Amino acid sequence: FEDALRIIQPLLRQGRATCDGTYARADGAINEPRGPRPDGAPILVGSDGPRMLRLIGRYADAWNSVWHSDPAALPPLLEAVDAACRDVGRDPATLVRTAGGNIALPGYLGVRPDPMAGDVDALAGTLAAFRDLGLRHFVCGIDPCMPASIEHFGRVIERLDAA
């Protein structure tokens, strides 16, 4: 995985990569056309092990932590990713933080495990607590996923936006 990141990151950033890794090798690889973003597509990695966090700190643009139903689970992970960034000489504020969680809506089928649950206000409050941790994005796995539940979830988002 580290070899892949050592190849992918410069391909996205500069359009060229050379790497003689343990498991992968690139000798003047070229990425053309590079696409519309001047610095290439962002690299997002989701993991929380010490070695992976160091790789995230060194190579990734964004970090993802999933699936959480309780915002209290995230602060120790945020501290760990900050420490990993500092260990590799990176300002932790330059790493985008994302997470996700499952959400039980009326008619919950049990398809998505360990969901956050409650009425519109409770769900909006839980999502606000995640937002207050400084996350840029939050992936919501809703259950059930059908037009009526999506409409219900829209009310949660309206309440969240009003808070």
Side-chain angles (χ1 to χ4, degrees), residues 8 19 35 38 46 48-50 66 69 76 78 88 100 105 113 120 127 136 150-154 157:
I8 292 167
C19 170
D48 59 14
V66 295
S69 59
L78 292 166
V88 299
L105 297 173
V120 168
L127 291 172
R136 177 92 52 91
I150 293 170
E151 285 180 29
H152 182 85
F153 188 62
I157 298 303

Side-chain angles (χ1 to χ4, degrees), residues 2 7 22 28 89 137:
E2 181 174 6
I7 295 168
T22 304
H137 304 281

